[in-house]
Amino acid sequence: MTDRHPFNPAWPTPSDICTDAELIAELLAPALFGHHRPRQVTVVEHHLAHAASAFHPSGFDEAAVLVVDGSGDGVSATLAHGTADGLKALRQFPFIQSLGWFYETIAEDLGLGNWTSSGKLMGLAGYGNPDRYTLDFPTARAGGSSRRS
């Protein structure tokens, strides 16, 4: 981890270990851990946590892992390489280039509510009928040319 966040120097300095008892008590509901209160917790970067929770249970020995969200830890997207040795971030994009915020804006414009509306839109997506709309996306061809579908 670096001393300063790569995209937002005002973002909090990352910390590997947290030993602040009050903060741990605030973040970890005792009922979830059999009323056990750890003396320290390991702090994991937001996108690394997303990538790990997708890659490690996937069953793949190696994979490209793409994390896209609003602005977790000031980062909007991370491309990582997952192997048995762990995850390595290859490229990250700053929160000012957030596709998640764009998606959120669309959800709000659809009338689904405030900043929590993107979850509603994602939930509704599973009920959609992909055959209802024909989208004219370009299709790649051998040699680098493309055609409309």
Side-chain angles (χ1 to χ4, degrees):
M1 292 184 154
T2 61
D3 288 351
R4 286 268 157 225
H5 195 279
F7 300 124
N8 186 351
W11 213 264
T13 303
S15 172
D16 290 334
I17 302 292
C18 175
T19 58
D20 181 332
E22 286 185 37
L23 180 58
I24 292 171
E26 182 180 330
L27 297 175
L28 301 177
L32 297 176
F33 300 97
H35 296 281
H36 170 71
R37 178 78 37 87
R39 281 181 266 156
Q40 68 180 33
V41 294
T42 301
V43 179
V44 178
E45 291 178 8
H46 183 85
H47 278 221
L48 177 60
H50 279 309
S53 68
F55 173 68
H56 291 299
S58 74
F60 290 104
D61 295 328
E62 181 177 21
V65 182
L66 178 64
V67 176
V68 179
D69 69 3
S71 61
D73 291 343
V75 178
S76 67
T78 298
L79 176 61
H81 180 213
T83 66
D85 293 330
L87 288 154
K88 178 181 179 185
L90 302 175
R91 180 130 190 232
Q92 292 187 310
F93 297 86
F95 69 96
I96 59 171
Q97 298 174 350
S98 175
L99 288 174
W101 285 1
F102 174 74
Y103 189 82
E104 181 61 42
T105 300
I106 298 302
E108 286 181 24
D109 286 347
L110 290 172
L112 294 175
N114 62 11
W115 64 272
T116 62
S117 58
S118 59
K120 295 175 191 173
L121 186 57
M122 284 187 277
L124 290 170
Y127 295 99
N129 178 354
D131 297 327
R132 184 172 176 183
Y133 301 100
T134 302
L135 300 176
D136 190 25
F137 289 116
T139 304
R141 289 193 203 167
S145 65
S146 65
R147 66 173 176 80
R148 293 280 180 186
S149 53

